[in-house]
Amino acid sequence: MDVLMAALGELFSFDCLLFMVLGVFIGIIFGAIPGMSGNLGVTVFLPFTFAMDTVPALILLCGIFYGSNFGGSISAILINTPGTNGACATLLDGYPMAKKGHPLKALDMSLVASTFGGLVSALTLLFFSPQISKVALSFGAPEYFALAVFGLSIIASVSGKSIMKGLVSGSLGMLLATVGIDKISGINRFTFGNIKMYNGIQMIAVLLGVYAVNQMISRVNGTEGGGQASSLVGTDRKSDRLTWKEAVSTVPTMAKSSIIGSVIGAIPGAGSAIAAYISYNEAKRCAKPGEKFGEGELKGIAAPESGNNGATASCLIPLLTLGIPGDAVAATLMGAFTMHGLVVGPKLFQTSGDLVYAIMIGSIVAQIVMYFQGRYLMPVFVKITHIPQQLLTALLMIICCAGAFAIANSVFEVYIMLIFGVVAYFMNKFGFPPVPIVLGMVLGPIAESNLRNALTLSDGSWMIFVQRPICLTFIILTVVLVVLLKRTSKKNAL
Amino acid sequence: MKLHYRSNLSAGCAALIAAVLLFLITPVQVAAEASSVHGISSRTLPYALSVLTGVCGVGLILQSLVLKKDEVKELDLRKEAKGLLYMLVLLAYGLGLKHSFLIATSLLGVATLAFTKCKKPWYYVISIVAVAVIYLMFTQLLHVRLP
């Protein structure tokens, strides 16, 4: 109790609250600009925290992380370009809804779902850290492989009219992920003798190309975009807000997605993009008659946003309890914890309990701060849709080029972005969907490396995948999901 | 001038060509391992992907030719030529970017506006100012070293 009171005392100081508000705001901005991720925001602001006290410093950095996850959905909804990896699934229904003339409603839904997911995740972090970290620790190579295969099965639901075209796109994504040094054998793959390719291809550069540059080329040659701006500009602000009834109708979807996100977030290496896709897929699988996913369905925004924000605070669980950073941001935050004298791991709660609880409770408060910031800044964000289409195209191109450069301070990432913009443009002409490329890039490496590790563990026996309960559950879920999706697509075709 | 093509048939052919290329390029770009993990090596996934892409390619071609499940799409060659020209601009931008982000990106912004037939001088000014602001923000605030 004393620890808790001390934590509350640390947290509810003027400094802490000020930096929390600032952190969330910076995070939203970083997330909303394509190419700039929450990780970049945390990295950029990390040096500024050296002179600060521990709790305000870490609250600022965590605030950036949480804000960026919601911020990513803003550009996904308004300009069909995900600001972060986690927002890729949001554009499936977010952008169609904005195109229909409801950008504010789509953003409202994203904000409510993000806050809901973030709160569930933060509460999970506070109350279930030890239990979840035990489950997450029981994930070995076979479980990761099964999880990746389960995630890849989502290609079936995001392939549009042709699953075969979706599989070709997914294969391209997986192939791109093989570029660079193979982590298991150390052999170079598809590097073409270029030293810059040794580290592989940055996913965000590919994302910018596939979603943004591809779209810009289409707008420039007039095959897309003429009517979009006008449909967004004509928005009636009053009728374009999320109603209480609409929000309530999505609560079961948000609850389920938040739990999915929280569990996936706690698994090291899984990440928010997987959480978003699995949540979206689950919502689509449970769709009621009349709910048209992919055409601007509210639940199609609620699910991925609750899912990806559900994975935010919970990704700190393995970090705080075991000292294992779950993803890139967690690794950067681990650096921040260390620089402020905190040794993350099992003993952290004993040595710095008050500070850790302040950060955990701060994670809850940050979600509420994010909600109010989003709520009142939303009309400002929506102004982006009032920018004339010609100017918006030019500005986006400029921002994307700068963003791609900022990924690794290298011109190479800009080239990758431009090349994949052109590739995606031609793929679009043939009807190949872009979403499976992202899924392939995220899940391909997890599936490949863990398959090889699992077979090493089992001495070459494939039975390992059916002998472990978690693994078997994922395999059964994959089969059930594919069968159900096939049935649903047949029903829709009739 | 307009060109008509069958979506599945052309996608199938493209996938098949990509699959063959990938199959041929894999042994050149991925060295053979001295030992593989129970038959799975660094080459396994690329080979598997080339087979999957090839199978999907054949499937799409069969869908089009045998099952007659296809959609006829139209290409406006004039518009596509404009798109190709813009891709050349992107190529020139890529070459220019090595030398100066400020100049190359300003020119890209201007070219993008010109391609969309923008006649408002203010938009050109705004795009150049935007590049300057981004340049300053990156170099001064975020400490990102731009060329």
Side-chain angles (χ1 to χ4, degrees):
Chain A
M1 198 63 188
D2 289 345
V3 174
L4 211 60
M5 293 310 289
L8 289 172
E10 289 264 12
L11 181 66
F12 290 104
S13 65
F14 177 74
D15 277 11
C16 248
L17 293 174
L18 177 71
F19 284 116
M20 184 186 289
V21 171
L22 199 65
V24 171
F25 180 75
I26 293 166
I28 293 175
I29 302 290
F30 266 80
I33 299 173
M36 290 200 180
S37 59
N39 192 29
L40 181 69
V42 173
T43 312
V44 164
F45 281 87
L46 182 58
F48 295 106
T49 65
F50 289 159
M52 291 165 61
D53 289 336
T54 306
V55 176
L58 294 173
I59 287 286
L60 172 81
L61 298 175
C62 288
I64 294 174
F65 174 38
Y66 300 141
S68 69
N69 254 285
F70 161 63
S73 70
I74 296 172
S75 48
I77 289 168
L78 297 179
I79 55 174
N80 199 25
T81 302
T84 55
N85 297 344
C88 286
T90 309
L91 58 78
L92 294 171
D93 277 275
Y95 186 60
M97 182 176 266
K99 261 174 87 176
K100 279 182 184 171
H102 302 295
L104 262 177
K105 185 175 282 188
L107 286 171
D108 275 344
M109 186 70 257
S110 164
L111 177 64
V112 171
S114 297
T115 309
F116 195 102
L119 277 173
V120 170
S121 188
L123 288 167
T124 308
L125 173 69
L126 184 63
F127 293 112
F128 302 109
S129 285
Q131 293 88 335
I132 288 189
S133 64
K134 267 184 203 162
V135 177
L137 253 194
S138 66
F139 264 63
E143 284 79 13
Y144 276 111
F145 172 71
L147 174 69
V149 171
F150 177 59
L152 283 169
S153 68
I154 295 167
I155 288 178
S157 79
V158 292
S159 294
K161 288 178 189 167
S162 169
I163 289 182
M164 277 194 268
K165 287 182 181 173
L167 285 172
V168 173
S169 295
S171 298
L172 174 67
M174 288 174 81
L175 184 68
L176 291 175
T178 64
V179 174
I181 298 171
D182 178 13
K183 281 176 195 159
I184 292 182
S185 64
I187 286 173
N188 287 335
R189 296 196 284 190
F190 304 106
T191 53
F192 296 91
N194 186 338
I195 201 162
K196 301 240 175 181
M197 303 271 271
Y198 284 22
N199 283 335
I201 290 176
Q202 292 281 347
M203 194 172 85
I204 194 81
V206 177
L207 275 181
L208 286 175
V210 168
Y211 287 104
V213 177
N214 164 28
Q215 213 181 145
M216 298 307 134
I217 299 171
S218 300
R219 282 183 191 177
V220 160
N221 72 8
T223 50
E224 194 218 313
Q228 289 168 13
S230 55
S231 66
L232 296 181
V233 172
T235 302
D236 174 10
R237 288 237 185 124
K238 279 180 189 166
S239 67
D240 185 32
R241 297 305 301 237
L242 185 75
T243 62
W244 178 250
K245 199 178 159 190
E246 284 169 331
V248 169
S249 72
T250 59
V251 167
T253 307
M254 289 193 288
K256 197 195 284 179
S257 305
S258 305
I259 294 167
I260 291 172
S262 297
V263 173
I264 289 177
I267 301 168
S272 60
I274 300 176
Y277 276 117
I278 290 179
S279 304
Y280 180 83
N281 210 43
E282 181 56 22
K284 192 176 176 182
R285 189 184 65 77
C286 301
K288 290 176 189 162
E291 289 176 353
K292 291 183 177 171
F293 277 75
E295 295 176 25
E297 171 60 46
L298 271 178
K299 287 180 184 171
I301 302 169
E305 277 307 302
S306 291
N308 71 33
N309 281 275
T312 51
S314 70
C315 95
L316 299 181
I317 293 174
L319 177 71
L320 297 179
T321 57
L322 306 166
I324 301 168
D327 62 7
V329 190
T332 313
L333 285 172
M334 188 175 169
F337 275 82
T338 312
M339 272 182 248
H340 283 275
L342 298 178
V343 182
V344 287
K347 287 187 178 173
L348 181 66
F349 286 80
Q350 290 167 13
T351 54
S352 315
D354 53 339
L355 300 183
V356 179
Y357 277 108
I359 292 159
M360 285 176 162
I361 300 166
S363 295
I364 298 170
V365 183
Q367 309 300 331
I368 297 160
V369 168
M370 184 177 82
Y371 176 79
F372 284 104
Q373 279 197 15
R375 181 89 192 151
Y376 292 105
L377 292 176
M378 207 66 89
V380 180
F381 298 141
V382 173
K383 282 217 161 59
I384 202 169
T385 61
H386 295 250
I387 299 173
Q389 196 71 14
Q390 290 171 322
L391 185 59
L392 186 63
T393 305
L395 291 178
L396 270 177
M397 201 66 210
I398 292 165
I399 292 169
C400 287
C401 290
F405 186 90
I407 296 168
N409 276 6
S410 158
V411 178
F412 181 70
E413 269 62 40
V414 184
Y415 294 159
I416 294 291
M417 177 190 78
L418 297 177
I419 289 167
F420 282 97
V422 174
V423 169
Y425 176 79
F426 287 112
M427 285 182 77
N428 189 29
K429 294 285 169 201
F430 290 123
F432 291 110
V435 182
I437 300 177
V438 185
L439 275 170
M441 276 197 92
V442 174
L443 298 165
I446 300 174
E448 189 198 11
S449 58
N450 286 295
L451 171 66
R452 290 160 80 177
N453 287 337
L455 287 178
T456 308
L457 272 176
S458 68
D459 204 21
S461 167
W462 289 76
M463 290 304 287
I464 193 169
F465 298 109
V466 288
Q467 283 167 344
R468 298 166 69 121
I470 299 175
C471 203
L472 185 64
T473 310
F474 275 122
I475 288 170
I476 292 169
L477 278 174
T478 307
V479 175
V480 171
L481 187 77
V482 171
V483 171
L484 283 174
L485 282 171
K486 200 152 175 129
R487 275 191 191 171
T488 316
S489 65
K490 267 188 186 171
K491 264 187 203 171
N492 289 345
L494 287 172
Chain B
M1 196 183 149
K2 285 176 180 169
L3 189 79
H4 292 90
Y5 65 101
R6 284 196 268 176
S7 174
N8 283 351
L9 183 63
S10 40
C13 291
L16 205 54
I17 292 168
V20 172
L21 281 176
L22 177 59
F23 198 84
L24 294 175
I25 212 173
T26 298
V28 182
Q29 282 298 318
V30 186
E33 281 172 52
S35 62
S36 60
V37 179
H38 303 287
I40 296 182
S41 70
S42 302
R43 285 181 179 177
T44 308
L45 182 64
Y47 276 138
L49 293 175
S50 74
V51 171
L52 178 64
T53 307
V55 168
C56 289
V58 172
L60 285 165
I61 293 170
L62 289 177
Q63 248 184 13
S64 173
L65 297 177
V66 181
L67 302 173
K68 305 287 176 197
K69 262 177 76 181
D70 212 339
E71 194 183 343
V72 177
K73 287 192 173 180
E74 190 182 81
L75 266 188
D76 186 334
L77 291 182
R78 254 183 64 192
K79 283 183 177 175
E80 295 310 321
K82 206 175 161 190
L84 288 174
L85 209 60
Y86 187 68
M87 288 175 205
L88 287 178
V89 170
L90 294 180
L91 180 69
Y93 170 72
L95 295 173
L97 183 63
K98 277 185 193 168
H99 306 289
S100 168
F101 174 86
L102 202 60
I103 296 171
T105 312
S106 298
L107 289 175
L108 178 67
V110 168
T112 306
L113 283 168
F115 265 89
T116 55
K117 291 178 184 166
C118 174
K119 288 174 185 162
K120 293 181 177 165
W122 269 111
Y123 291 0
Y124 289 89
V125 175
I126 291 171
S127 83
I128 293 169
V129 170
V131 176
V133 169
I134 287 172
Y135 183 81
L136 285 175
M137 194 179 86
F138 270 63
T139 51
Q140 303 301 314
L141 197 72
L142 303 180
H143 304 291
V144 173
R145 278 193 290 173
L146 291 167

